[in-house]
Amino acid sequence: MSSELSLRKRAGLELFRQLRENRKQLHPLRQLFWECTLRCNLHCRHCGSDCRQSAQVPDMPAEVFLKVIDSVTPHVNPHEVNIVITGGEPLMRNDLEAVGLALYRRGYPWGMVSNGLALTHERLQSLMAAGMHAITISLDGFADDHNWMRGHPDSYLRAMDAITRIAQEPELTWDVVTCVNRRNYPYLSELKDSLYDVGVRRWRLFTVFPVGRAARHSELQLTNDEFTGVMEFIRRIRKEGKIRLSYGCEGFLGKYEGEVRDNFYICNAGITVGSVLADGSISACPSIRSNFHQGNIYKDDFMAVWNHRFQLFRDREWMRRGICAECEFFRYCEGNGMHLHDEEGNLLFCHHKRLR
């Protein structure tokens, strides 16, 4: 075992690995994403889905998704399954309140991920009245860089307005997520101070993975030194204790494991996380490519697929190839996040290798 890991950290990783193996066997559905639309009111450079104002795939009718929920309900405790509405931009739909209220009445906590552009005071209040439990707002830097990334001149101001508005709602669970890139990396500390001043206490960082539109913008990728700098920044801010900062769920991080997240690395795609995509595909994390879809709600029962067709997510020995073949950390990493593999299953990049 590499000397970069302390005995204590190795012991923690081993214990967490055992818990992960048990979770694979049980595979309890705990988070269900609904990709409610592929339409979006922005044109983000790093979009993994390549969404646009008018999508080729039409929005899934609300009654179709709720029928899926009704088929799931007999098999789960609704209070233990978080429904996350994503897109595209969910606020492009006018019926989110009706869907949210239907979920609330069925006992499901629900939330959404939004760019905040259309989150007016009135829309926020109507969503909360429909039982919205949680929300994540994306903010990728100060005005020039956020607007550049998002492709809209007002996106920064509206996102900040949304964050300020949400911060005044004590009943909401919420956070801000930031895509770290070469433009905003130099001023992460200043951005942290700005977010703290408007009431942000939970903040997540992630880095760009080269899929979808993001694959055409290599300038978004951090250097290895900058990527290491992100880990050092997160570790420092967590020790400071003013904001609960963490790195996204993708990628094994070696010596930084247990220090930049609330838990050790795990990709829960297909283990506790499932999704219904806009075209009806049954998948795991909605960031994962189409060749990993396991069925479709228009011809398959969701829970039957969940229980019997997700083996490649729960047994990842097939990922032990390429740079992963002889890696001493494979037992903890299992080939990195599923969304970081191309159509042939090859790993796009290794977080741990970048840190070394």
Side-chain angles (χ1 to χ4, degrees), residues 97-302:
E97 288 83 351
V99 176
L101 189 58
L103 293 172
Y104 177 78
R105 287 173 173 167
R106 287 163 170 80
Y108 289 93
W110 69 276
M112 61 185 296
V113 181
S114 173
N115 58 42
L117 191 73
L119 191 64
T120 62
H121 171 77
E122 292 74 19
R123 194 76 199 268
L124 176 60
Q125 294 305 310
S126 67
L127 290 166
M128 291 182 62
M132 185 172 72
H133 171 75
I135 188 168
T136 292
I137 299 294
S138 300
L139 187 82
D140 296 326
F142 292 117
D144 287 347
D145 294 330
H146 179 84
N147 293 344
W148 171 83
M149 177 73 93
R150 298 284 168 170
H152 192 292
D154 298 325
S155 58
Y156 172 78
L157 286 177
R158 294 200 197 173
M160 286 299 292
D161 284 345
I163 291 168
T164 303
R165 204 170 287 122
I166 291 167
Q168 300 171 11
E169 301 294 345
E171 296 181 3
L172 272 179
T173 298
W174 64 280
D175 67 352
V176 170
V177 62
T178 295
C179 174
V180 183
N181 57 80
R182 301 209 70 189
R183 288 179 62 129
N184 63 20
Y185 171 78
Y187 59 79
L188 288 176
S189 291
E190 292 85 350
L191 185 59
K192 183 267 295 185
D193 292 338
S194 175
L195 291 173
Y196 183 84
D197 288 344
V198 297
V200 175
R201 297 298 181 265
R202 291 174 180 264
W203 187 26
R204 280 181 292 140
L205 303 182
F206 72 99
T207 45
V208 177
F209 51 97
V211 171
R213 198 178 298 148
R216 304 196 293 268
H217 293 280
S218 59
E219 73 275 13
L220 297 176
Q221 298 290 336
L222 298 176
T223 66
N224 290 348
D225 286 343
E226 289 168 339
F227 186 67
T228 302
V230 171
M231 299 303 124
E232 291 292 333
F233 172 74
I234 295 173
R235 185 157 63 177
R236 175 170 61 85
I237 299 305
R238 287 174 70 90
K239 288 180 179 178
E240 183 182 275
K242 294 175 66 177
I243 284 185
R244 188 173 175 179
L245 177 61
S246 62
Y247 185 65
C249 60
E250 60 179 53
F252 177 76
L253 302 172
K255 68 179 182 179
Y256 293 102
E257 283 298 320
E259 299 181 36
V260 295
R261 301 186 184 102
D262 293 340
N263 53 263
F264 291 116
Y265 167 72
I266 182 172
C267 175
N268 276 314
I271 300 173
T272 61
V273 176
S275 67
V276 175
L277 303 187
D279 65 354
S281 295
I282 299 171
S283 187
C285 168
S287 296
I288 296 173
R289 309 279 57 81
S290 60
N291 55 311
F292 292 110
H293 295 170
Q294 302 303 301
N296 193 289
I297 61 168
Y298 292 109
K299 62 179 182 178
D300 301 304
D301 176 75
F302 181 91

Side-chain angles (χ1 to χ4, degrees), residues 53-84:
Q53 288 275 354
S54 178
Q56 292 182 339
V57 177
D59 294 356
M60 180 181 293
E63 60 271 18
V64 172
F65 177 65
L66 291 174
K67 184 177 179 180
V68 174
I69 293 299
D70 288 338
S71 74
V72 168
T73 300
H75 305 278
V76 301
N77 179 348
H79 301 292
E80 295 178 351
V81 182
N82 288 301
I83 309 296
V84 183

